């Protein structure tokens, strides 16, 4: 298989690249930080092709896809992993610029890459699209505002892809993790490494390896099997009562 992974320079993306490459598949690792991608290629060898690509820039995406050598163009699996959360402020004080960045990356970037890769999958009557969502797309919590909304978009977009792709041989999955460590997610969101570390204190969160294993399982199922949605949480995470503000 040829697997294209966005946001492959760290975290889930890098670990998914390792998983597929180590299992004998070809990986197109894309991201903005070419030096990180080149380190990944040095680690994994000729199975990995690195391509600089910014999913918030349509021209960057088209240039990256146009640059692929002929033998790398038949993409079997697209993993839309690039995404981020920025800030935890309530909506009334949150940064509009941060909201826009999340929408540009998590929604617009994902749909642009999908739209550009999908037609060739349809021509071959095969392919798998794995969109990395989040449990935040299903469950609201204070400070999630636009981040949670973007992941709800990912969930619904994936289901609508399924509606359009019935009978085509092309599959689509929303892979939605809960609390996950071992990535830059909280460091980017909070812009504070100490605060980010506290998010995981006393927990055993999901790891990038857990997500990579799940993505690999989805991609290697028999071609008649589609996983519409898979939500994963660590055992230390669960569900609580709805938030209530009490007057005292």
């Amino acid at each position: 298989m040829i697997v294209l992974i966005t946001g492959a320079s760290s975290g889930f993306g890098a670990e998914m690249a390792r998983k597929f490459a180590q299992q004998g598949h070809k990986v197109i690792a894309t991201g903005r930080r070419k030096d990180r991608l080149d380190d990944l290629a040095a680690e994994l060898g000729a199975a990995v092709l690195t391509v600089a690509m910014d999913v918030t820039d349509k021209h960057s995406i088209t240039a990256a896809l146009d640059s692929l050598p002929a033998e790398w163009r038949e993409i079997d699996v697209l993993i839309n992993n690039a995404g981020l959360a920025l800030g935890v402020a309530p909506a009334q004080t949150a940064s509009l610029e941060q909201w826009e960045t999340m929408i540009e990356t998590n929604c617009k970037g994902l749909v642009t890459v999908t739209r550009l890769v999908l037609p060739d999958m349809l021509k071959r009557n095969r392919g798998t699209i794995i969109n990395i969502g989040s449990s935040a797309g299903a469950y609201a919590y204070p400070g999630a505002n636009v981040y949670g909304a973007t992941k709800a978009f990912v969930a619904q977009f994936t289901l609508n892809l399924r509606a359009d792709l019935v009978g085509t041989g092309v599959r689509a999955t929303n892979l939605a993790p809960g609390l996950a460590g071992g990535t830059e997610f909280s460091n980017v969101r909070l812009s504070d490494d100490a605060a980010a570390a506290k998010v995981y204190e006393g927990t055993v969160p999901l790891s990038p390896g857990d997500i990579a294993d799940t993505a690999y399982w989805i991609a290697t199922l028999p071609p008649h099997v589609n996983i519409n949605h898979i939500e994963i949480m660590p055992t230390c995470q669960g569900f609580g009562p709805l938030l209530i503000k009490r007057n005292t």
Side-chain angles (χ1 to χ4, degrees):
M1 291 190 301
I2 297 177
V3 184
L4 189 152
I5 304 172
T6 68
S9 60
S10 65
F12 294 167
E15 199 61 28
M16 289 188 285
R18 292 186 182 97
K19 179 70 177 183
F20 281 92
Q22 289 165 355
Q23 295 297 319
H25 303 289
K26 295 166 69 174
V27 175
I28 304 165
T30 76
R32 292 177 301 169
R33 294 175 291 185
K34 187 65 160 56
D35 56 335
R36 296 267 192 108
L37 297 174
D38 289 342
D39 289 344
L40 188 64
E43 172 191 340
L44 298 172
V48 174
L49 174 69
T50 64
V51 181
M53 186 173 83
D54 180 354
V55 300
T56 67
D57 181 344
K58 182 166 63 176
H59 298 295
S60 174
I61 299 169
T62 56
L65 295 175
D66 289 344
S67 75
L68 295 177
E71 64 273 21
W72 287 84
R73 293 199 170 202
E74 291 195 1
I75 297 165
D76 299 291
V77 180
L78 167 62
I79 303 180
N80 283 308
N81 168 71
L84 78 170
L86 294 171
V88 291
Q92 63 271 25
T93 60
S95 162
L96 181 57
E97 289 73 20
Q98 288 184 339
W99 279 10
E100 291 169 341
T101 299
M102 287 186 280
I103 293 167
E104 288 285 322
T105 307
N106 301 355
C107 300
K108 189 174 177 181
L110 181 147
V111 301
T112 303
V113 176
T114 300
R115 178 61 182 81
L116 293 174
V117 171
L118 182 58
D120 283 341
M121 288 184 168
L122 290 169
K123 288 177 185 177
R124 296 189 298 273
N125 299 308
R126 72 177 192 275
T128 302
I129 298 169
I130 300 174
N131 295 325
I132 303 301
S134 170
S135 60
Y139 314 110
Y141 60 88
N145 42 67
V146 166
Y147 172 67
T150 64
K151 292 304 185 176
F153 175 93
V154 171
Q156 190 63 29
F157 177 67
T158 306
L159 291 177
N160 287 334
L161 276 178
R162 286 283 300 119
D164 288 341
L165 297 174
V166 170
T168 65
V170 179
R171 308 184 292 187
T173 298
N174 176 35
L175 197 175
L179 182 70
T183 76
E184 299 173 337
F185 177 85
S186 290
N187 305 76
V188 171
R189 185 176 203 175
L190 302 175
S191 300
D192 182 330
D193 290 349
K198 287 185 177 297
V199 172
Y200 307 103
E201 279 186 0
T203 74
V204 181
L206 299 174
S207 71
D210 297 326
I211 304 310
D213 288 346
T214 305
Y216 186 79
W217 172 73
I218 291 166
T220 55
L221 286 168
H224 70 286
V225 178
N226 192 98
I227 303 300
N228 299 328
H229 172 89
I230 183 165
E231 182 181 280
I232 310 170
M233 287 183 177
T235 55
C236 64
Q237 186 179 29
F239 305 94
L242 294 176
L243 183 67
I244 298 173
K245 179 170 175 50
R246 302 182 187 278
N247 294 321
T248 57

